[in-house]
Amino acid sequence: MQNTTTNWLKRYWKWIVPMIFLLLCIIIFFVVSQNAPLRYGSVYLQPQLTENARLIANKNKEVQTMFGTLAKPNFLNFIQGEVFYSKDYQRVAVSVKLIGKKKNGILDYWARNIGNKWEYDSVAVRIKKPEKVRIVVFRK
């Protein structure tokens, strides 16, 4: 009776190769995107930041007539927008896609962190098509 054992690498190569490929793809994604997942994630994990800006925009009569009631943005709406933090992470500029009852648009807001509270410098809603329209809702 002969004992034929194969080494571990030969037995599991079908699992190792895809796992290495997947790991390389994840590493390349984070290298190429720099800190984008962290920026988007940090804004998404602070829902009151975007929610308060959306509520400020919802109170504006011009926004109400053009867009209707603005829905709460989800994570995919953040990915379609932009998030920029200052170097000290005390200021943020966010553009997030908004879905209204009548039209869709983009909510732009600039805020700064004072203590543990976000204070808004500017809140604006805009559309690109069919023509560019920008409604400045709040400016400090």
Side-chain angles (χ1 to χ4, degrees), residues 23-38:
L23 185 64
L24 283 174
C25 288
I26 291 171
I27 290 170
I28 290 170
F29 170 74
F30 277 100
V31 167
V32 169
S33 67
Q34 297 171 348
N35 64 350
L38 301 175

Side-chain angles (χ1 to χ4, degrees), residues 1-8 10-11:
M1 197 167 189
Q2 228 175 341
N3 189 2
T4 57
T5 59
T6 58
N7 69 5
W8 186 86
K10 283 184 180 178
R11 279 189 287 166

Side-chain angles (χ1 to χ4, degrees), residues 99-110:
I99 299 171
K101 295 260 185 204
K102 298 177 184 175
K103 285 185 181 178
N104 296 341
I106 299 170
L107 174 69
D108 297 322
Y109 63 89
W110 295 264

Side-chain angles (χ1 to χ4, degrees), residues 15-56:
W15 287 96
I16 293 172
V17 172
M19 293 305 278
I20 290 173
F21 178 74
L22 181 64
L23 185 64
L24 283 174
C25 288
I26 291 171
I27 290 170
I28 290 170
F29 170 74
F30 277 100
V31 167
V32 169
S33 67
Q34 297 171 348
N35 64 350
L38 301 175
R39 288 181 289 148
Y40 289 104
S42 66
V43 171
Y44 185 71
L45 291 175
Q46 300 178 41
Q48 76 282 1
L49 181 60
T50 302
E51 182 62 21
N52 291 341
R54 183 185 70 85
L55 291 174
I56 291 170

